[in-house]
Amino acid sequence: VTSLHPKQREWKAKQLEKYAEEQLKGELQRVTERRDKVYEQTSDYIKLRDQIQQMQRRLKEDTEAHGSDARTDMRVQVNLGNEFYMQAHVPDMTRIYVD
């Protein structure tokens, strides 16, 4: 490996800085934004899974306690976003549709 002249080293360093500034920082930003979207979606799916499991437990407990007279409906609070909640009535927990 030959030693570079100081001006050549400076020129190469500037080229690398320019590449990092123009290419890599933009790519890092795009990748970070995509990662954040995946984290957000994952969080939403985990919350949904937890709610469904809670509903299934309640339905199972009610069925074990009351047999065929068990209630299949449920009142819940639903987060509409930004921690804004409203009450909802689920008329039949035996089937759940997710859109």
Side-chain angles (χ1 to χ4, degrees):
V1 176
T2 61
S3 178
L4 293 176
H5 188 273
K7 287 190 177 189
Q8 289 176 317
R9 275 193 300 240
E10 186 178 323
W11 180 81
K12 276 202 174 274
K14 285 184 181 181
Q15 290 297 95
L16 287 172
E17 287 175 21
K18 182 180 176 183
Y19 176 75
E21 188 69 34
E22 292 175 357
Q23 301 291 322
L24 298 179
K25 281 190 178 181
E27 183 64 23
L28 177 61
Q29 172 123 13
R30 287 187 293 277
V31 168
T32 301
E33 288 170 0
R34 285 192 307 222
R35 181 208 58 198
D36 291 346
K37 285 181 184 179
V38 168
Y39 283 169
E40 185 178 334
Q41 287 177 334
T42 302
S43 174
D44 290 344
Y45 285 125
I46 289 171
K47 288 176 188 176
L48 177 62
R49 180 203 63 200
D50 292 347
Q51 285 181 317
I52 291 171
Q53 288 174 342
Q54 179 184 5
M55 291 169 67
Q56 288 173 330
R57 277 193 303 275
R58 183 189 173 270
L59 183 61
K60 181 180 177 188
E61 290 168 0
D62 214 35
T63 301
E64 288 172 353
H66 302 289
S68 62
D69 293 332
R71 294 180 61 181
T72 59
D73 67 326
M74 179 182 214
R75 290 205 174 276
V76 295
Q77 281 194 343
V78 179
N79 185 351
L80 299 176
N82 294 325
E83 302 306 313
F84 182 78
Y85 292 87
M86 71 176 286
Q87 272 197 341
H89 178 251
V90 180
D92 185 1
M93 292 188 311
T94 59
R95 292 185 187 245
I96 299 172
Y97 297 95
V98 179
D99 184 14

